[in-house]
Amino acid sequence: MITVSKVENKKDVKEFIEFPLRLYKGNEYFVPPLYADEKALFKKNTVYDEQAESIFFLAKENGKTVGRIHGILQRVSNQKWNQKRVRFTRFDSIDSQEVADALFEAVENWAIEKGMDTVVGPLGFSDLEREGLLVEGFDQLSTFEEQYNYDYYQKLIENRGYQKEVDWTERKLYAPKNFDERIARISSRMMEKYELKFGEAKNTADFIKKYGDKLFDVLDKTYVDIYQSVPFTEKMKKSLISGFKLIVNVENVAVILDKNDNVVCFGVCFPSIAKAVQKSGGKLTPLAILRLLKAIKNPKVIDLALIGVLPEYRGKAIASALINEIHNMLKKDGVEYAETNLNLEDNLNIQNQWKVFDSVQHKRRRSFVKKLR
C-alpha cells in the first residue's frame, strides 16, 4: 500500500534529500545539487519566503521511501502572469504509476486548498533554478545547473493528465574550424559606435563587488517576458551571488559597460563542476572541494549560465561581442566544448546565436501543465 505524508521533521528532511541519491546511485549521468543547498530549503526564513510557500511530500510503500515531490505556490509569479498556479518540482519516483499518482494527487489537493486551478512543472521558485523534465538526452551528463531524470518519468506525468506547455532545447557548442571573423569586426564597430567597453575585474571577488547587483538589474529586464519568470528579491540576489563566489572564474565572464559604467550586456559562464560533485552526493567533502578547485582552474567543459542584454541594446549587434568572447573561451587549452543549458525552443533570438558554432542539440526538456478545474 502506498502512503503519502508531508515532510515534517529532521528524519523526513534527510529522507527527502537522500532518496534521489539512492534512486540514481551508479547512474553516470545524474548530477546532484549541493546537499547544503537542498537542506536550506527546509529552514525558517528562506530566501524565497517573500515570494512563495512550499510543501514537501514523501511516498512510502511498506515503510520504504519510493517517491517524493515538492509543491510551490509562487505568489509573485501568479500576480505577474495573472494565473492561479502551483508549481511542482523535485519529483522523483520508482517506475510506478501508483506512486506517481499518489504524489501528484497530494500536490493537486494542496493546490485546490490554496484556491489554485492549475499545476505546472517541473519548475522551481525562479527560472535560475533547475527546471524542466528531461525528455531527450538520457545518455548525456547533466550540467550542475540541471536535474537528470529517468526516461519513464514522462510516462508517469502524462498518464496523470499533464500535457506539454513549453520545451527547452540544449546544445553542445564547439569552436568552429572556420569562425566568421566578421563577428569580431562587427562587435568592435558596434562597441565604438555606442561608446561601450568591456568591464574589467582583478579576480572573482572584485568582479562580484563591481558588477554583482548590476547583473540582476539587467537580468530582470532581459527576462521580464520569459516563461514564468519572476523578479529577484534582495535575499535571492545575495544567495545567488554567494553561490557565484564558489564557481565563477573571471576568465569565463564578460561584462559590457556604457560610457557611465552601467552594465548593458553580460555573459557569465561557469566551469563545469558536474563530475566534481557526483561522487560525493553533492556534499562538499575535502576530496570534493579538491575536485571542484581543479575543475574551476582547468575546465574541460564550460556551462553557459547567464546571458543578459538590456532591451534598448537588442538588435544592435551587441550580442556578437559576447559570441566572440565565447569563441575565445572555446579556443583555450583543455576546453572541449560549452553547454548552453536551457533555451526555450521558440526563442529564436537565442537559438540563432549558436549558428556560428559547430553544435549539436543533445537534450530537450519540458514543462507540463494540468488544469484542475
Side-chain angles (χ1 to χ4, degrees):
M1 179 179 176
I2 306 300
T3 60
V4 173
S5 59
K6 288 193 295 185
V7 172
E8 295 184 317
N9 54 50
K10 290 182 179 180
K11 183 179 178 182
D12 291 344
V13 169
K14 187 173 187 292
E15 192 65 15
F16 188 93
I17 296 172
E18 295 185 357
F19 172 68
L21 302 182
R22 296 196 300 270
L23 186 66
Y24 291 97
K25 186 175 181 180
N27 185 294
E28 62 183 304
Y29 310 115
F30 171 76
V31 176
L34 292 181
Y35 196 99
D37 288 347
E38 293 298 283
K39 197 172 180 179
L41 292 171
F42 298 90
K43 294 180 179 179
K44 294 181 179 179
N45 300 318
T46 71
V47 296
Y48 303 107
D49 283 351
E50 297 172 15
Q51 290 193 337
E53 58 184 289
S54 290
I55 195 165
F56 303 85
F57 293 106
L58 286 171
K60 294 191 177 185
E61 185 174 26
N62 299 323
K64 180 182 178 181
T65 301
V66 289
R68 69 170 196 167
I69 198 167
H70 173 192
I72 299 173
L73 175 54
Q74 224 310 349
R75 296 183 296 269
V76 173
S77 176
N78 282 342
Q79 292 167 5
K80 175 181 176 179
W81 299 100
N82 192 27
Q83 295 169 333
K84 299 174 73 174
R85 292 183 163 193
V86 156
R87 302 177 173 197
F88 76 85
T89 185
R90 293 175 176 84
F91 166 67
D92 288 292
S93 171
I94 62 171
D95 189 1
S96 165
Q97 193 64 51
E98 184 182 5
V99 172
D101 284 347
L103 287 167
F104 278 102
E105 182 180 21
V107 169
E108 290 162 10
N109 286 341
W110 182 69
I112 292 171
E113 289 173 11
K114 293 292 181 179
M116 302 297 106
D117 59 18
T118 305
V119 175
V120 64
L123 292 173
F125 293 96
S126 77
D127 50 331
L128 289 191
E129 288 195 294
R130 295 180 172 198
E131 58 187 353
L133 189 87
L134 190 67
V135 295
E136 294 176 10
F138 301 101
D139 59 348
Q140 299 291 322
L141 177 69
S142 281
T143 65
F144 175 70
E145 298 83 16
E146 300 171 343
Q147 180 65 32
Y148 183 83
N149 58 263
Y150 288 125
D151 57 0
Y152 62 78
Y153 279 36
Q154 182 178 356
K155 170 195 68 177
L156 298 179
I157 293 173
E158 290 178 342
N159 285 348
R160 183 65 192 174
Y162 288 79
Q163 298 178 331
K164 170 186 172 180
E165 183 161 65
V166 300
D167 271 12
W168 296 268
T169 60
E170 301 170 52
R171 289 184 172 274
K172 287 182 179 178
L173 307 180
Y174 300 88
K177 294 178 182 178
N178 298 304
F179 186 69
D180 191 344
E181 299 299 334
R182 290 177 300 175
I183 291 176
R185 294 197 297 271
I186 291 171
S187 64
S188 179
R189 286 201 297 268
M190 290 301 102
M191 296 276 284
E192 183 177 349
K193 178 179 179 180
Y194 297 109
E195 300 182 83
L196 304 175
K197 60 186 177 183
F198 280 102
E200 298 181 351
K202 299 175 184 177
N203 49 44
T204 300
D206 188 39
F207 171 80
I208 291 173
K209 181 179 179 181
K210 284 182 175 179
Y211 311 118
D213 287 334
K214 296 177 181 180
L215 298 190
F216 288 101
D217 293 337
V218 176
L219 266 185
D220 273 337
K221 293 176 182 177
T222 300
Y223 295 159
V224 65
D225 295 322
I226 295 294
Y227 173 73
Q228 298 294 282
S229 63
V230 294
F232 299 104
T233 65
E234 290 304 313
K235 279 187 178 180
M236 291 166 65
K237 291 177 184 178
K238 288 179 181 178
S239 176
L240 289 163
I241 287 173
S242 178
F244 286 178
K245 292 178 182 177
L246 181 67
I247 55 177
V248 166
N249 184 329
V250 290
E251 293 184 4
N252 297 320
V253 299
V255 177
I256 297 177
L257 312 175
D258 65 15
K259 61 182 179 181
N260 297 315
D261 289 335
N262 297 310
V263 176
V264 301
C265 180
F266 74 89
V268 175
C269 302
F270 297 151
S272 174
I273 62 170
K275 292 186 176 180
V277 300
Q278 262 188 329
K279 294 181 181 179
S280 66
K283 293 182 178 179
L284 291 180
T285 63
L287 280 176
I289 291 173
L290 286 175
R291 290 193 296 267
L292 195 69
L293 293 174
K294 182 179 179 181
I296 293 171
K297 187 175 181 180
N298 299 299
K300 292 183 178 180
V301 178
I302 295 173
D303 297 342
L304 305 189
L306 300 170
I307 295 178
V309 183
L310 286 179
E312 57 265 38
Y313 284 91
R314 293 175 193 166
K316 296 181 179 179
I318 301 304
S320 62
L322 291 183
I323 296 299
N324 192 56
E325 289 300 301
I326 293 171
H327 176 249
N328 292 336
M329 293 177 197
L330 289 173
K331 291 195 300 181
K332 292 178 181 177
D333 291 341
V335 176
E336 298 173 5
Y337 61 88
E339 286 219 34
T340 64
N341 278 313
L342 282 67
N343 298 153
L344 285 165
E345 66 176 346
D346 60 356
N347 187 343
L348 299 182
N349 286 333
I350 192 67
Q351 297 282 1
N352 288 333
Q353 297 289 348
W354 312 133
K355 291 183 178 180
V356 300
F357 299 97
D358 292 339
S359 71
V360 57
Q361 182 189 313
H362 63 308
K363 298 176 193 169
R364 177 179 290 269
R365 293 181 182 276
R366 183 163 297 164
S367 177
F368 295 86
V369 66
K370 178 182 178 181
K371 292 290 291 184
L372 301 179
R373 54 187 181 186

